[in-house]
Amino acid sequence: MNGSFCRDFKIHVIKTNILATFCKFATTLNTMLTKTWFEIGRYWKFMKGLFVKPEKFIVYYRQVMHELVSIGVGALGIVALTSVFMGAVITLQSAYNLVNPMVPLYAVGIVARDSIILEFSPTIIMLVLAGKIGSSIASEIGTMRVTEQIDALEIMGINSSGYLTLPKIVAGLLICPFVVIISIFLGIIGGWVAGDMSGIVPSADYIRGIQDQFLPFNIVFALIKTLVFAYIITSVSAYHGFHTDGGALEVGQSSTKAVVYSSIFILIFDYILTQLILA
Amino acid sequence: MIKVDHIYKTFGEKTVLDDVSCTFETGKVNLIIGQSGMGKTVLMKCTVGLFEVDKGAVYFDGRNFSEMNFKERKPIRQEIGMVFQGGALFDSLTVEQNVMFPLNMFTHMTQEEKLDRVNFCLQRVNLVNANKLFPSEISGGMKKRVAIARAISMNPKYLFCDEPNSGLDPKTSIVIDNLIMELTEEFGTTTVVNTHDMNSLTEMGEKIVFIYKGKNYWEGTFEELEMSDNPELIDFVYASKIMKRMRKH
């Protein structure tokens, strides 16, 4: 009788624990889903606010010009450095892996070119830009928020989200394709120099490789990806900056969130676009 | 005249404004006073539409501002000038560009006309030879004056100042107070100043609204305040030794 009671009690305790764990899990999931839906809704509301008629086109035009310099020209140094070394490493690693005597040496050029055009320049360079531009946009707008500069714009009757964000998105969409084209060019040059200097891939083989079986559509694909990623970086970063609440600490957090979320969305959309267009 | 009619504002569980009603009169400096955290800034931000009220309405010369959408509010917003606590000057723009900003956005003036207006506003706030400086290169008092110059650049009907003296020494504070009074008189604006500075109260308190625990606890003129026996108001106004001594005399 006593043993049976103990067993029933133990089963009851286990059941209660399982139920409590399940409830906790369900609550956490519910909170996460609510927060995610809230963020998605707020993002779309924010986006809707951007595409209203600007107060004065000339002011927006000047802002776009300013952002073109800030986003594009300001990022050229890091893009050039990353691209050259990326191209060099891809070439050397491809040569290291293609050791089969049946594979001609110029195949290294083909692999390097296609890797740079299809993936490394549009994706890796845009990830680098997410770090550079994304944090800069989020911290700039976030600082404006906590120092009441955005309130000052709204008091004047200016659509603050449009004024602050639209020029950045337009500038990003205009300049990033050029940045990626420059990156592709420098990446291929980097690979050529590395292969030739190390003596692993002679110059003639590499040049033949980069010309062989070239598909112009790959460039179009790279540019489509670039445009999508440029939109993600500028809009997500501006969104996080715009919704900063608090002080200097929160500006830093918004900046980090901007980079993290931009990078995650770039990787997700990289997969989606590759699946949709190339597969 | 601005009429605040039974407004309520809560943030989550916390009620910050609880049935506040008051009027801000034209051509006068209207002060909102009260301790920190009692809802002064929230009242001001609800009045200008930076926060949406939960209940109640704000009327600008009879126009129900609270019921309007963003587009409908635009013309009224262009009649409002606001000086923020920290100045809220645009960091990337020079003093001149900051003051010119509203003119660039909303007027079709020529560059020369805009420059004339900017120089007039900067001279009006006693700032000369600072046009080409950036906000990071000027002092706190100068920032406040640039903010006032920007606020008056569009000839506002309503001027709002959120703690214009915070972080300033008493002498500079008086300069700013006098400037606000002069501008109110000169342009006939409905000026609303949010402060807990007792010097400002004695300098420019024409109409006073005392906010206590989210409620409009007391409203009247400076003379009425001197005669008042409202315990919370007396406790707040005569908190410092110097004010207590003044009261005795």
Side-chain angles (χ1 to χ4, degrees):
Chain A
M1 179 72 183
N2 211 2
S4 158
F5 173 76
C6 281
R7 200 182 63 235
D8 285 352
F9 183 71
K10 271 181 189 169
I11 289 168
H12 175 72
V13 169
I14 291 166
K15 273 184 182 170
T16 314
N17 281 343
I18 290 170
L19 197 67
T21 314
F22 178 75
C23 283
K24 205 176 167 186
F25 174 73
T27 313
T28 315
L29 194 69
N30 183 35
T31 314
M32 272 173 66
L33 281 175
T34 311
K35 209 180 162 195
T36 308
W37 281 116
F38 171 76
E39 291 285 341
I40 291 170
R42 198 166 64 162
Y43 175 78
W44 285 114
K45 203 177 160 198
F46 175 69
M47 283 294 117
K48 203 180 140 200
L50 302 186
F51 299 104
V52 291
K53 195 183 162 206
E55 285 77 17
K56 226 175 183 183
F57 273 104
I58 186 75
V59 178
Y60 276 62
Y61 171 76
R62 281 192 205 124
Q63 282 291 101
V64 170
M65 291 299 129
H66 172 76
E67 296 298 340
L68 281 175
V69 176
S70 157
I71 293 175
V73 180
L76 274 181
I78 183 97
V79 167
L81 194 76
T82 315
S83 304
V84 168
F85 282 97
M86 201 172 62
V89 171
I90 291 167
T91 304
L92 296 181
Q93 283 188 354
S94 304
Y96 173 74
N97 284 303
L98 296 173
V99 285
N100 192 324
M102 298 289 283
V103 180
L105 206 51
Y106 69 82
V108 174
I110 299 174
V111 172
R113 179 201 66 207
D114 285 349
S115 306
I116 290 168
I117 293 175
L118 289 174
E119 193 59 27
F120 283 89
S121 279
T123 307
I124 303 296
I125 289 301
M126 291 309 276
L127 282 172
V128 170
L129 289 186
K132 193 188 178 293
I133 304 169
S135 62
S136 151
I137 290 175
S139 54
E140 181 193 328
I141 298 180
T143 306
M144 288 186 79
R145 167 65 75 194
V146 300
T147 55
E148 297 181 308
Q149 292 176 49
I150 293 181
D151 288 347
L153 286 172
E154 277 170 14
I155 281 291
M156 290 175 202
I158 294 166
N159 170 19
S160 57
S161 57
Y163 174 76
L164 293 172
T165 311
L166 195 58
K168 292 185 199 305
I169 292 179
V170 173
L173 292 174
L174 288 175
I175 201 72
C176 286
F178 289 101
V179 172
V180 167
I181 294 286
I182 291 169
S183 161
I184 291 171
F185 178 73
L186 291 174
I188 290 173
I189 297 280
W192 178 32
V193 172
D196 194 46
M197 276 175 64
S198 62
I200 296 170
V201 189
S203 186
D205 284 317
Y206 187 83
I207 287 169
R208 185 186 164 187
I210 59 170
Q211 291 173 329
D212 200 51
Q213 299 168 41
F214 173 67
L215 285 175
F217 180 73
N218 287 352
I219 297 281
V220 176
F221 175 64
L223 293 180
I224 291 171
K225 285 210 304 186
T226 304
L227 288 174
V228 173
F229 298 162
Y231 181 79
I232 288 172
I233 293 171
T234 46
S235 67
V236 170
S237 307
Y239 166 78
H240 282 290
F242 197 81
H243 292 99
T244 305
D245 194 14
L249 185 70
E250 284 77 10
V251 173
Q253 285 169 352
S254 291
S255 182
T256 309
K257 271 190 201 168
V259 177
V260 170
Y261 284 105
S262 299
S263 305
I264 291 170
F265 284 121
I266 284 174
L267 294 173
I268 291 170
F269 276 87
D270 187 25
Y271 171 73
I272 292 171
L273 289 171
T274 309
Q275 178 78 38
L276 282 176
I277 299 172
L278 287 191
Chain B
M1 189 178 76
I2 301 168
K3 188 179 168 200
V4 174
D5 192 20
H6 298 286
I7 64 167
Y8 291 80
K9 181 71 189 169
T10 51
F11 292 98
E13 299 285 298
K14 199 183 173 199
T15 302
V16 182
L17 296 180
D18 187 7
D19 193 16
V20 175
S21 295
C22 53
T23 52
F24 301 122
E25 290 167 23
T26 308
K28 280 187 179 176
V29 178
N30 301 270
L31 292 186
I32 304 173
I33 59 167
Q35 282 171 260
S36 299
M38 289 294 164
K40 298 190 304 290
T41 302
V42 174
L43 173 59
M44 184 172 271
K45 287 192 173 178
C46 282
T47 309
V48 296
L50 284 174
F51 290 152
E52 294 303 326
V53 294
D54 297 337
K55 224 163 97 180
V58 177
Y59 298 90
F60 282 78
D61 290 314
R63 296 168 290 179
N64 189 339
F65 189 65
S66 309
E67 270 190 357
M68 294 175 180
N69 61 28
F70 182 80
K71 213 175 168 186
E72 290 166 335
R73 282 180 181 182
K74 252 185 178 180
I76 296 182
R77 285 232 158 112
Q78 282 163 31
E79 294 173 359
I80 296 175
M82 184 155 179
V83 180
F84 288 87
Q85 206 170 334
L89 299 178
F90 304 123
D91 300 323
S92 56
L93 305 181
T94 61
V95 165
E96 186 178 281
Q97 289 166 335
N98 261 288
V99 181
M100 202 185 275
F101 188 83
L103 303 173
N104 282 335
M105 291 303 276
F106 298 111
T107 69
H108 295 283
M109 291 166 126
T110 62
Q111 187 65 15
E112 272 180 19
E113 287 169 335
K114 281 188 272 187
L115 265 177
D116 283 347
R117 179 72 192 155
V118 168
N119 288 330
F120 167 77
C121 293
L122 287 173
Q123 274 168 14
R124 193 64 204 76
V125 297
N126 305 320
L127 260 184
V128 280
N129 301 327
N131 294 35
K132 301 295 173 199
L133 297 175
F134 282 92
S136 57
E137 298 169 323
I138 58 178
S139 69
M142 285 167 87
K143 275 182 194 162
K144 290 276 162 70
R145 280 189 275 167
V146 177
I148 294 173
R150 186 177 67 183
I152 62 167
S153 65
M154 292 281 285
N155 267 331
K157 275 174 82 175
Y158 315 101
L159 181 63
F160 289 85
C161 306
D162 187 12
E163 300 194 16
N165 299 326
S166 67
L168 300 182
D169 64 273
K171 222 173 169 182
T172 315
S173 294
I174 288 171
V175 172
I176 298 288
D177 288 345
N178 290 337
L179 191 59
I180 292 169
M181 280 194 331
E182 285 165 23
L183 292 171
T184 304
E185 207 173 311
E186 199 176 318
F187 300 115
T189 56
T190 306
T191 303
V192 182
V193 180
N194 198 344
T195 187
H196 45 58
D197 181 32
M198 287 307 111
N199 287 333
S200 300
L201 183 72
T202 52
E203 283 288 326
M204 56 177 177
E206 291 179 276
K207 164 86 192 281
I208 298 150
V209 175
F210 175 59
I211 299 291
Y212 182 72
K213 290 186 178 171
K215 285 183 184 293
N216 180 2
Y217 223 70
W218 185 89
E219 195 174 341
T221 61
F222 185 69
E223 289 72 30
E224 286 167 343
L225 184 143
E226 284 181 311
M227 301 297 163
S228 173
D229 53 2
N230 185 312
E232 277 77 21
L233 181 65
I234 290 169
D235 195 37
F236 170 72
V237 174
Y238 301 103
S240 68
K241 274 183 187 171
I242 193 160
M243 291 300 285
K244 274 178 193 148
R245 216 173 289 162
M246 269 174 68
R247 197 181 182 208
K248 271 183 194 170
H249 289 297

